[in-house]
């Protein structure tokens, strides 16, 4: 399934860690932008990563790789994937989304979590952004667990893309803009 020197590509990608620091962002962006030609600098780093990976993947594997996104990773197609990394993470995310949904329903209805059959998530109550960051940390931790034994294979490349997507989501949070959006949504006419 994998041709070329995928090991070299994976090793040459910037190391990712779950942190939101300007230096970390700059390092990751600058290394990935080096893969793009001078006229392609404005491309997203996900597109650049996919473009580089396409050189080393079969057409079938590349199509799967392109479909990986945080918005759809919980889909049944990924849960039933032959790729054990994608299937395990997809199942985890589906379960996490279900648990978050139940937690929100319980909160809305004022149900005490100690009275439910299944214990609710160990989410430390906070602002929506703080809670979202906790959820992203859990996803990151799951990806770290799944990475054991995957160093230079398709699974490793999938894990890398998922981690990068999580970091991009984390880095997109803007407390002031989020609060302004909240005020606009909750504003009474």
């Amino acid at each position: 399934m994998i041709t070329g020197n995928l090991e070299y590509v994976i090793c040459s990608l910037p190391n990712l860690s779950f942190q939101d620091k300007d230096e970390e962002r700059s390092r990751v962006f600058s290394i990935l932008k080096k893969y793009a030609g001078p006229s392609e600098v404005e491309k997203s780093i996900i597109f650049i990563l996919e473009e580089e990976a396409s050189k080393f993947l079969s057409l079938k594997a590349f199509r799967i790789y392109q479909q990986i996104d945080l918005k759809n990773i919980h889909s049944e197609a990924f849960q039933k994937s032959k790729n054990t990394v994608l299937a395990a993470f997809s199942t985890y995310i589906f379960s996490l989304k279900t648990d978050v949904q139940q937690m929100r329903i319980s909160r809305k209805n004022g149900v005490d979590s100690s009275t439910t059959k299944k214990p609710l998530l160990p989410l430390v109550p906070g602002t929506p952004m703080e809670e979202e960051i906790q959820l992203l940390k859990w996803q990151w931790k799951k990806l770290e667990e799944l990475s054991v034994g995957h160093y230079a294979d398709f699974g490793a490349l999938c894990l890398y893309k998922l981690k990068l997507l999580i970091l991009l989501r984390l880095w997109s949070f803007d407390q002031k803009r989020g609060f302004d959006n909240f005020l606009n949504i909750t504003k009474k006419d």
Side-chain angles (χ1 to χ4, degrees):
M1 172 164 44
I2 296 177
T3 60
N5 197 350
L6 186 62
E7 184 176 3
Y8 171 77
V9 172
I10 292 173
C11 291
S12 65
L13 294 171
N15 185 41
L16 302 176
S17 60
F18 190 82
Q19 51 183 311
D20 188 10
K21 295 181 180 174
D22 289 336
E23 309 87 55
E24 181 71 10
R25 289 182 201 190
S26 178
R27 183 182 62 77
V28 170
F29 277 90
S30 67
I31 292 173
L32 282 166
K33 293 286 185 180
K34 288 180 183 176
Y35 281 103
S39 63
E40 303 172 320
V41 174
E42 293 305 313
K43 291 182 179 175
S44 78
I45 60 174
I46 294 298
F47 184 82
I48 293 168
L49 176 63
E50 289 174 348
E51 200 170 59
E52 192 61 26
S54 72
K55 300 172 189 174
F56 303 98
L57 298 174
S58 69
L59 187 56
K60 182 180 177 184
F62 181 65
R63 284 187 186 134
I64 293 168
Y65 191 69
Q66 274 189 306
Q67 293 173 4
I68 297 171
D69 195 305
L70 294 179
K71 293 175 186 154
N72 69 356
I73 193 63
H74 65 284
S75 71
E76 189 175 341
F78 281 119
Q79 289 180 48
K80 292 182 176 183
S81 174
K82 292 179 184 177
N83 181 294
T84 57
V85 168
L86 289 176
F89 189 68
S90 178
T91 302
Y92 172 77
I93 293 298
F94 182 80
S95 176
L96 184 62
K97 283 183 172 289
T98 303
D99 290 348
V100 167
Q101 181 182 29
Q102 290 302 315
M103 180 193 67
R104 288 182 176 152
I105 290 169
S106 294
R107 281 182 179 175
K108 182 179 177 184
N109 295 334
V111 176
D112 183 12
S113 63
S114 62
T115 62
T116 59
K117 292 179 185 176
K118 183 180 175 187
L120 297 178
L121 295 171
L123 196 65
V124 177
T127 66
M129 187 170 79
E130 291 167 342
E131 290 182 358
E132 181 69 19
I133 290 171
Q134 288 178 64
L135 294 170
L136 290 175
K137 282 182 186 177
W138 294 346
Q139 293 173 47
W140 186 274
K141 183 179 177 195
K142 182 64 174 179
L143 290 172
E144 288 288 318
E145 292 169 7
L146 291 171
S147 69
V148 174
H150 295 279
Y151 305 104
D153 59 3
F154 184 61
L157 194 60
C158 293
L159 289 162
Y160 190 88
K161 183 177 179 182
L162 287 163
K163 284 181 176 181
L164 186 58
L165 288 167
I166 287 173
L167 284 179
L168 290 173
R169 175 135 174 82
L170 175 67
W171 295 342
S172 73
F173 293 158
D174 180 329
Q175 192 169 10
K176 182 186 177 337
R177 190 173 47 157
F179 186 69
D180 290 344
N181 287 342
F182 172 77
L183 290 176
N184 288 334
I185 291 169
T186 58
K187 187 187 298 182
K188 293 186 179 184
D189 293 324

